[in-house]
Amino acid sequence: MITLTDNAVAAFKTALSRASEPAEGFRIMVEAGGCAGFKYLMGLESVSREGDAITGTNGIKLFVDAGSQPHVAGMTVDFLTGLESSGFVFDNPNAREKCGCGKSFS
């Protein structure tokens, strides 16, 4: 469902190791908002919820709720480090358009 690059796996593992409370993995969600219509939300997750799809790569567990699954199917998550900013980047084949920041899409 979701592919993680090696850089994304490393960033997720770092976040898990630095978490103040134990977490099983990460929740990736899509909700209405952002400048293009939908935005991505990501955070630490301890338990699965009813309807979740659970996927993972290289020891990283991802939880995706039922409403977000069609929006993220086939997506690749990367982590880029630059001079001015660093962060997760979403390459989503379901996005018709995306905003300049890359964090929202339609």
Side-chain angles (χ1 to χ4, degrees):
M1 171 182 282
I2 297 174
T3 302
L4 302 178
T5 66
D6 291 342
N7 287 342
V9 169
F12 280 127
K13 286 182 177 180
T14 298
L16 282 171
S17 71
R18 294 180 180 171
S20 59
E21 297 189 20
E24 285 288 314
F26 294 85
R27 179 166 297 280
I28 296 181
M29 294 175 45
V30 172
E31 73 175 22
C35 52
F38 293 103
K39 63 182 178 180
Y40 301 106
L41 299 173
M42 236 176 19
L44 294 169
E45 185 61 79
S46 300
V47 296
S48 65
R49 301 176 192 167
E50 187 175 333
D52 277 353
I54 302 170
T55 186
T57 303
N58 295 323
I60 300 299
K61 193 180 287 187
L62 300 175
F63 302 89
V64 182
D65 65 276
S68 298
Q69 291 170 24
H71 297 289
V72 300
M75 181 171 77
T76 298
V77 180
D78 195 6
F79 187 86
L80 299 180
T81 304
L83 291 174
E84 295 183 21
S85 66
S86 298
F88 289 99
V89 177
F90 307 95
D91 181 13
N92 190 340
N94 303 303
R96 292 181 310 233
E97 297 178 25
K98 56 184 173 179
C99 68
C101 72
K103 305 294 184 200
S104 77
F105 68 98
S106 63

